Amino acid sequence: MEPIAIRPARWEDAEALEALWWHLLEEQAALDPTFAPAEDARRRWRNDFMLWVRDRMYRLLVADRSGELVGFISAHQWSPPPIYRQELEVYIDELYVLPDYRRQGIGAQLVSAVRVWAQEVGAVRLRLGVLAANREGLAFWERQQARPFSLTLIIPLTEFQKPDSET
């Protein structure tokens, strides 16, 4: 198998990277329909791609196998609201590796590259989110030494039901 190069995304990667990103959205929507892509998602991605490639606050890295993109990671620098102690963090927005290339260390290489960047900019930690239904994703992040920091819960309002304590 050809070696994988982790490198910054380039303008000419736009079409292939958009296809990878769309696969990510489809997989997320299959896990939780809440994450079904908006009608204008592709247009918005194309617009944002130009920003991500040139803005130094963002990192968009790809896993390149002899010219074929097989994965990517996107991240940005983030600080908490000013009511909290200011500590720079890097937020990992998205990580995706094509199914045929998973469990080969590519995701870990992408995360490692973001860790290096985070240390270079003086970040104190990485932050990320993962769908609760994404068991493989949760296991991957545990292997990366990720640990729970906060929980985001939802209460669907499509059918109003009284809490159990009120029935």
Side-chain angles (χ1 to χ4, degrees):
M1 184 170 273
E2 300 288 326
I4 303 292
I6 305 301
R7 62 169 177 79
R10 301 184 292 241
W11 297 111
E12 59 267 21
D13 295 326
E15 188 175 323
L17 197 46
E18 180 182 345
L20 285 175
W21 176 75
W22 195 255
H23 287 302
L24 168 67
L25 292 186
E26 290 175 329
E27 285 187 31
Q28 286 180 329
L31 289 170
D32 188 330
T34 305
F35 288 95
E39 289 183 23
D40 64 347
R42 286 183 184 268
R43 180 183 57 78
R44 289 173 179 261
W45 186 91
R46 288 180 197 122
N47 181 67
D48 291 346
F49 176 74
M50 293 187 307
L51 169 74
W52 296 327
V53 169
R54 68 178 158 200
D55 190 324
R56 294 184 351 187
M57 300 290 285
Y58 288 83
R59 271 298 180 269
L60 182 55
L61 304 170
V62 297
D64 183 331
R65 181 181 168 255
S66 299
E68 176 190 9
L69 301 188
V70 299
F72 76 95
I73 192 167
S74 63
H76 69 275
Q77 295 178 40
W78 184 87
S79 294
I83 60 169
Y84 300 109
R85 180 178 53 203
Q86 293 300 292
E87 294 182 325
L88 180 63
E89 297 180 349
V90 165
Y91 192 95
I92 296 175
D93 298 297
E94 300 161 319
L95 170 64
Y96 183 76
V97 175
L98 286 171
D100 289 347
Y101 293 90
R102 293 180 186 162
R103 299 203 176 279
Q104 298 177 28
I106 297 168
Q109 289 177 53
L110 288 162
V111 172
S112 179
V114 167
R115 284 179 196 253
V116 168
W117 175 61
Q119 291 170 334
E120 289 171 359
V121 299
V124 298
R125 70 186 138 265
L126 300 178
R127 183 185 292 242
L128 61 108
V130 61
L131 292 176
N134 186 351
R135 299 289 179 216
E136 287 183 31
L138 288 164
F140 170 83
W141 288 113
E142 286 175 3
R143 290 190 302 274
Q144 301 304 307
Q145 289 82 48
R147 60 181 174 80
F149 177 67
S150 68
L151 295 175
T152 301
L153 306 174
I154 62 167
I155 300 173
L157 298 176
T158 53
E159 289 184 32
F160 178 77
Q161 295 178 345
K162 291 183 179 181
D164 290 338
S165 62
E166 293 182 22
T167 56

